[in-house]
Amino acid sequence: MRKKSSPVQTSSANSLWGGRFAGGPAEIMARINASIGFDQRLYAQDIAGSKAHCEMLIKQGIIGARDGAQILAGLDTILAEISAGKFNFSEALEDIHMNIEARLAELIGPAAGRLHTARSRNDQVAVDFRLWVRDATDALETALKDLQHELLQRAGQHAATIMPGFTHLQSAQPVTFGHHLMAYVEMFGRDRARLRDARVRMNESPLGAAALAGTSFPIDREMTAKALRFARPMRNSLDAVSDRDFALEFLGACAIAATHLSRLAEEIVLWSSAQFGFIALTDEFSTGSSIMPQKRNPDAAELVRAKTGRVAGSFTALLMVMKGLPLTYSKDMQEDKEQVFDAADTMNLSIAAMTGMIRTMIIKEDAMLAAAGKGYSTATDLADWLVRELNIPFRQAHHITGETVKRAEAKGVSLEQLSLTDLQAVEPRITEAARHILSVQASVASRTSFGGAAPERVRSAIAAAKKELG
Ligand code: ARG
């Protein structure tokens, strides 16, 4: 979901750096150079950064209090204008920084020219973008938390709902639907932790690095860092204007989280098929077919799955932009923003769609239960019984159980349906007790090891996760 950008006006002169330039740029040059079409999304951060810088310049006596006050008031006016959609963005002014500065000059006259003292667009854009990515990180973390809440809710309802567990998409051992959903609660929990980790590293201020080397003015970088709620100023001016690893970390964390979303989306696609029939999506989250009246398509899940490619693509794209760039700033780095904006928008949309699907999906317990017994899914339980009760080494027990499965297969019955005589034909010491452990219910109930599928374990995992999530 891309926010509609405000229209951008084009003209040829740029008075902000025009001192050395006689003519305007070629039309195509202006077009390839301009970032205002997308970086206008940084306006609030740009104004916050400029105000922090201006207040510091005043306090340090670098600019006069009257000029400073005019600048601050002008910036507030501009913030209100842009927020109200009453600002004319100009392509000739390239980017958000110069659009705002030019408007400031219109509003307050020559004093506007003092704002850029001891600053460059290089540290300006670095600070704006960090602030934006920091907010996006927080928003994404919250969205993932909401999704976890929804998963926990459904897991609580289905802590004992038996479903087949798969490996290689082949029936493996019975588990519970609650346990399966809790696996995703864990994944999204790590995704959130990755975002929080990245936030700590990104939360340092590049402001004051100026163009690349710092400045000869007596600036106070601690003050601007604090005003913008950064933990501290970045320690190296070259690094401060050069690196975009905070954006890469954000995109990397997005790509991993999107991969988790994609796996869940794929399972929703499978589960909602006629062949699985484990769940049904409600009308809110499915579409029909224009030709096949019986169809109910899981489009939202498919799109969540597909958008993962887009997010991973953004991560790769920015990696490729950054690799091989010499220090410090190069215009290449202007390409960082669209990737991050698109990934953030895509993630927010995908998570919202996933949260909605999880909240509304209808669980078909009977179909899950029926499928759970297929494919001799309790064979491991028999092997374990042979080990436990007859003290048979596991490898041998595995072999005996294999023979038993072969016998059941030949007779066209489940393991549970094999008679004691059949079982004893394979291993004479097998008793009636072994048959009781062959049901899917008994199998699941026995998985009581920490992190296991037994309903009691699932319930305590849910309780612990709820407590942790708050
Ligand atoms: N629009 C530019 C960007 O996004 C701002 C920084 C421009 N700096 C420069 N030295 N041309 O990176």
Side-chain angles (χ1 to χ4, degrees):
M1 186 179 49
R2 177 162 301 208
K3 256 201 202 150
K4 211 172 168 292
S5 303
S6 304
V8 169
Q9 289 169 356
T10 47
S11 81
S12 57
N14 186 330
S15 56
L16 290 181
W17 44 254
R20 223 185 130 199
F21 290 78
E27 199 258 343
I28 201 74
M29 175 61 208
R31 255 172 57 203
I32 195 170
N33 202 32
S35 53
I36 189 61
F38 49 87
D39 70 11
Q40 54 184 266
R41 284 181 72 168
L42 297 176
Y43 76 91
Q45 289 78 10
D46 193 71
I47 290 171
S50 287
K51 286 180 71 175
H53 182 65
C54 180
E55 274 156 6
M56 182 277 292
L57 293 177
I58 299 168
K59 189 192 128 238
Q60 296 299 97
I62 300 169
I63 66 172
R66 275 193 44 185
D67 285 346
Q70 275 192 310
I71 291 170
L72 293 172
L75 288 170
D76 282 335
T77 304
I78 296 170
L79 181 63
E81 285 175 353
I82 301 179
S83 304
K86 290 190 185 126
F87 190 95
N88 290 325
F89 292 105
S90 152
E91 192 177 76
L93 292 167
E94 260 188 70
D95 57 24
I96 186 65
H97 324 295
M98 299 211 286
N99 268 269
I100 288 176
E101 200 183 320
R103 177 68 182 138
L104 188 64
E106 271 174 23
L107 287 172
I108 68 167
R114 299 197 184 276
L115 172 60
H116 215 51
T117 316
R119 184 176 77 167
S120 149
R121 267 191 299 159
N122 296 350
D123 59 341
Q124 189 177 358
V125 71
V127 79
D128 293 4
F129 199 36
R130 267 178 198 258
L131 289 172
W132 197 95
V133 176
R134 192 176 71 183
D135 284 349
T137 301
D138 292 342
L140 199 56
E141 210 237 309
T142 306
L144 285 169
K145 190 173 171 177
D146 292 345
L147 174 55
Q148 282 182 304
H149 271 299
E150 216 57 69
L151 287 162
L152 273 176
Q153 185 67 17
R154 299 313 304 261
Q157 296 160 354
H158 295 283
T161 301
I162 291 172
M163 77 177 282
F166 301 92
T167 62
H168 312 264
L169 196 56
Q170 307 289 320
S171 209
Q173 292 173 352
V175 296
T176 76
F177 190 58
H179 195 47
H180 197 112
L181 294 183
M182 287 302 290
Y184 284 102
V185 170
E186 293 293 318
M187 291 177 236
F188 295 129
R190 287 193 296 275
D191 292 332
R192 287 176 50 216
R194 259 183 286 279
L195 288 166
R196 287 196 300 267
D197 286 352
R199 191 194 198 281
V200 174
R201 273 182 296 278
M202 80 177 67
N203 200 27
E204 293 187 345
S205 174
L207 194 57
L212 74 163
T215 174
S216 56
F217 291 98
I219 59 171
D220 182 348
R221 293 192 60 206
E222 294 283 348
M223 180 182 169
T224 47
K226 206 165 155 212
L228 297 167
R229 289 181 292 109
F230 285 113
R232 63 192 75 83
M234 291 180 77
R235 286 184 298 216
N236 182 294
S237 64
L238 304 178
D239 175 43
V241 295
S242 290
D243 210 355
R244 293 292 182 266
D245 59 353
F246 63 96
L248 286 169
E249 282 200 75
F250 173 76
L251 290 172
C254 284
I256 297 173
T259 303
H260 291 149
L261 286 169
S262 180
R263 296 185 74 172
L264 181 51
E266 162 64 4
E267 297 201 305
I268 289 175
V269 171
L270 282 175
W271 293 339
S272 63
S273 68
Q275 287 68 21
F276 274 79
F278 289 1
I279 63 163
L281 293 174
T282 59
D283 291 353
E284 289 168 278
F285 285 99
S286 15
T287 57
S289 154
S290 54
I291 178 167
M292 296 166 283
Q294 86 284 8
K295 286 289 286 279
R296 195 187 234 316
N297 295 327
D299 295 41
E302 294 168 89
L303 286 164
V304 168
R305 186 175 62 184
K307 284 180 191 295
T308 302
R310 181 165 165 166
V311 175
S314 290
F315 173 56
T316 314
L318 185 55
L319 267 185
M320 291 305 104
V321 167
M322 296 307 295
K323 73 169 278 300
L325 287 187
L327 303 190
T328 57
Y329 179 86
S330 295
K331 195 64 174 252
D332 308 51
M333 285 154 68
Q334 179 164 287
E335 287 288 311
D336 56 1
K337 288 164 211 69
E338 283 173 293
Q339 303 302 339
V340 167
F341 292 157
D342 190 71
D345 292 344
T346 304
M347 290 304 287
N348 283 323
L349 183 58
S350 291
I351 295 168
M354 183 55 81
T355 306
M357 282 188 281
I358 297 296
R359 188 176 54 239
T360 54
M361 67 184 175
I362 297 155
I363 314 303
K364 299 183 173 172
E365 300 185 20
D366 293 348
M368 285 189 186
L369 180 63
K374 286 187 187 155
Y376 311 100
S377 63
T378 57
T380 318
D381 297 272
L382 178 58
D384 288 350
W385 187 89
L386 295 168
V387 171
R388 216 171 32 242
E389 303 298 326
L390 305 181
N391 199 24
I392 295 175
F394 183 78
R395 281 287 159 231
Q396 198 187 332
H398 184 283
H399 187 80
I400 295 169
T401 308
E403 298 267 308
T404 316
V405 169
K406 205 153 73 181
R407 194 165 264 264
E409 211 167 14
K411 296 208 158 186
V413 297
S414 69
L415 278 182
E416 214 183 340
Q417 288 161 341
L418 275 182
S419 67
L420 187 58
T421 327
D422 276 320
L423 290 170
Q424 287 178 340
V426 183
E427 167 52 60
R429 287 175 292 166
I430 293 181
T431 64
E432 185 61 31
R435 297 187 66 227
H436 300 312
I437 53 102
L438 294 177
S439 72
V440 287
Q441 287 81 359
S443 171
V444 166
S446 75
R447 298 290 192 268
T448 52
S449 55
F450 179 78
E456 56 178 286
R457 275 293 184 190
V458 176
R459 285 196 190 95
S460 52
I462 293 168
K466 275 193 176 153
K467 210 168 133 200
E468 209 176 297
L469 222 57

